[in-house]
Amino acid sequence: MTEPAALARDLAATGISGLVISWADNNGIPRARIAPIGNLPELVERGVGITSLFAVFDTHDVITFAHAGLSTPSGDVRLIPVVDGLTRLAGQPALAWAPGRQVAIDGSAWPYDQRGVLEAQVARAAGAGLEIRAGWEIEFVVGLPDDGGELRGAHRGPAYSPHALLAIDEFVAALLTDFAGNGLPVNQLHAEFGPSQVEVSLAASDPVTAADRQLLARQTIHAAARAHGLRVSFAPLVGVGGAGNGWHLHTSVWRDGANLLAGDPVRGPGPDGAGYLAGLQRDLPAVAALTAPSVPSLARLRPGMFAGAYVCWGVENREATLRYVPGSPLLGADHANVELKVCDASANPYLALAAVIAAGTAGLADGAALDEPIQSDPGTWSEQDRSERGLVRLPGTPAEQEAALLGSDRIRAVLGDDLLGAFVAVRRSDAAWAAERTPEEVVAAHLWRH
Ligand code: GLU
Ligand code: MG
């Protein structure tokens, strides 16, 4: 690592004035402090002060004091930049960016630090000889400039057409250039299915890097949009009825350099990979409370939208909540992974991935049994066929979601009592806010938050 003072001088010499130190709150909303770049040596040692209450900010910037551990306005924590993740922002020439760690004022671990929660799960998996690789697909809707909060699409399709993207050609070019400049490896980009929707998928990496990159990707996309007179919505839903923005989370699990999810397109993965997949399925309702936590998240999970609505897995089935992607002779065994469709931008990426790792590796450890894959859309089945097969729908209300989260000792333990308490308090605050509003008002209020 370059010595911080030298790094600060180098950055300043190339026009960087400030460092954006960013983290994501319990609503998946990126928050940040900007500090002068010359302060980098000090920042690395002691960070900047922020209120201890960020864990109890709800989606609407209301602070809920309903969690006992954070029930007064008194308290401060330190936000410390992770210098390994420091990136000069290609689209914002005066700024560099780094993910932030939150620590207590004495430098000890702060139980509400979401990044630390993911680090703990990665370390736990490593202790069991396992390595996880992860990557997100990022869907968003591109809108024309603000005119009173309404979202007016910037491209008119057709879905998956290069012609759709011509309407936002300069923006797309900037995205590719800025992603490369910001060290974000892209798998591919396309016009997605929904109106004026675009998707960028990020290549897989270690989990903490994947979550850091997911945050940096948002910053990159927002900046490129602004530079081209556009704006983007990452919200789980941009309209009450239409296609949502899914942030599908791909993971694979490895031991000694071998991908345990490698397997057969018909029979599925080998025993360890099957255990990982079964573990994910077993805890899916609780995992979903972290990966798709907001009120619009719940409304996104409808059959027929490729978003996942029922607890099941399938081989390359885009209606299965867990889509198993096998390797092939062409793609190689390393390609194999499982895609979690129940994930969106309102999830804190660190917590989402921590929950996935905990559930999957627990299933692998106890040899959880994997049932037969579902290869059709369970939403088209009769109620009777679903119940005979034991197919259950994911929680559909905030109350069901909370019960699922609190009902899983394994997923509760991922957060620990303090963060769990704050997380639940925030969800309740959001749910109470939404209960007094129409679905349209709820969707509208989430459009520009993430
Ligand atoms: N937009 C869909 C969702 O809400 C996903 C479409 C796809 O990528 O298959 O998850
Ligand atoms: Mg997609």
Side-chain angles (χ1 to χ4, degrees):
M1 193 179 85
T2 320
E3 194 254 320
L7 181 58
R9 275 195 303 276
D10 287 353
L11 289 166
T14 57
I16 301 288
S17 311
L19 177 64
V20 180
I21 313 168
S22 189
W23 76 102
D25 74 6
N26 284 331
N27 316 292
I29 297 176
R31 311 271 182 186
R33 285 294 162 90
I34 296 179
I37 199 67
N39 294 5
L40 191 61
E42 165 75 10
L43 294 170
V44 169
E45 289 286 320
R46 283 175 281 277
V48 286
I50 58 172
T51 169
S52 47
L53 291 170
F54 276 112
V56 286
F57 268 63
D58 77 9
T59 296
H60 313 287
D61 287 348
V62 170
I63 301 169
T64 169
F65 291 97
H67 163 59
L70 298 171
S71 60
T72 76
S74 307
D76 210 46
V77 294
R78 305 301 295 182
L79 177 69
I80 298 187
V82 178
V83 175
D84 286 350
L86 192 146
T87 307
R88 296 180 48 125
L89 287 175
Q92 295 176 267
L95 295 174
W97 179 98
R101 293 190 299 120
Q102 302 161 73
V103 302
I105 52 169
D106 63 1
S108 64
W110 172 242
Y112 303 92
D113 176 46
Q114 297 91 350
R115 197 171 184 274
V117 167
L118 177 57
E119 285 173 335
Q121 286 305 319
V122 171
R124 224 167 140 260
L130 300 171
E131 194 194 324
I132 306 290
R133 309 268 306 155
W136 263 276
E137 296 176 10
I138 295 179
E139 292 182 344
F140 52 97
V141 170
V142 186
L144 293 169
D146 190 1
D147 57 355
E150 288 287 309
L151 175 57
R152 289 184 300 131
H155 82 66
R156 292 166 182 267
Y160 310 109
S161 169
H163 304 164
L165 296 179
L166 277 176
I168 49 170
D169 194 43
E170 295 79 7
F171 168 61
V172 169
L175 278 187
L176 293 173
T177 307
D178 292 353
F179 267 62
N182 288 346
L184 297 168
V186 169
N187 278 340
Q188 51 103 19
L189 178 154
H190 63 271
E192 248 297 339
F193 188 77
S196 203
Q197 202 175 31
V198 170
E199 173 178 320
V200 183
S201 59
L202 295 172
S205 66
D206 72 88
V208 177
T209 300
D212 288 346
R213 282 180 176 167
Q214 198 244 47
L215 278 191
L216 178 56
R218 305 179 191 213
Q219 180 85 20
T220 307
I221 298 166
H222 276 310
R226 185 201 166 268
H228 292 87
L230 300 167
R231 56 183 188 158
V232 297
S233 176
F234 296 136
L237 279 183
V238 296
V240 171
N245 287 321
W247 287 29
H248 302 169
L249 174 53
H250 293 254
T251 57
S252 55
V253 56
W254 301 64
R255 185 189 289 123
D256 299 329
N259 184 352
L260 303 177
L261 281 170
D264 185 276
V266 179
R267 288 187 302 277
D272 284 337
Y276 180 85
L277 199 43
L280 261 178
Q281 182 169 293
R282 178 173 67 185
D283 281 329
L284 206 52
V287 168
L290 295 175
T291 58
S294 64
V295 177
S297 296
L298 295 167
R300 175 182 150 252
L301 304 178
R302 290 153 296 161
M305 292 289 177
F306 287 6
Y310 291 89
V311 177
C312 66
W313 76 284
V315 181
E316 291 287 17
N317 179 359
R318 284 180 167 72
E319 280 294 338
T321 332
L322 295 166
R323 169 182 161 226
Y324 172 59
V325 181
S328 76
L330 175 68
L331 300 166
D334 290 0
H335 180 78
N337 66 83
V338 55
E339 174 189 52
L340 173 69
K341 292 191 162 281
V342 183
C343 190
D344 64 56
S346 65
N348 177 293
Y350 303 96
L351 298 185
L353 199 34
V356 164
I357 293 171
T361 55
L364 193 156
D366 30 82
L370 187 62
D371 55 5
E372 290 296 309
I374 301 288
Q375 293 303 110
S376 56
D377 176 1
T380 62
W381 296 19
S382 69
E383 204 55 74
Q384 188 184 342
D385 286 348
R386 279 196 296 261
S387 97
E388 278 168 13
R389 178 61 166 74
L391 272 180
V392 293
R393 187 111 186 214
L394 280 162
T397 65
E400 289 171 10
Q401 184 187 55
E402 180 179 316
L405 176 58
L406 297 182
S408 168
D409 290 346
R410 212 171 355 250
I411 303 305
R412 291 166 63 119
V414 171
L415 300 187
D417 287 344
D418 294 322
L419 182 53
L420 179 73
F423 189 87
V424 168
V426 165
R427 296 280 72 78
R428 287 181 184 170
S429 183
D430 269 11
W433 187 95
E436 294 172 3
R437 287 164 174 93
T438 64
E440 288 77 10
E441 286 170 330
V442 173
V443 166
H446 284 74
L447 275 182
W448 313 110
R449 305 303 291 161
H450 307 102

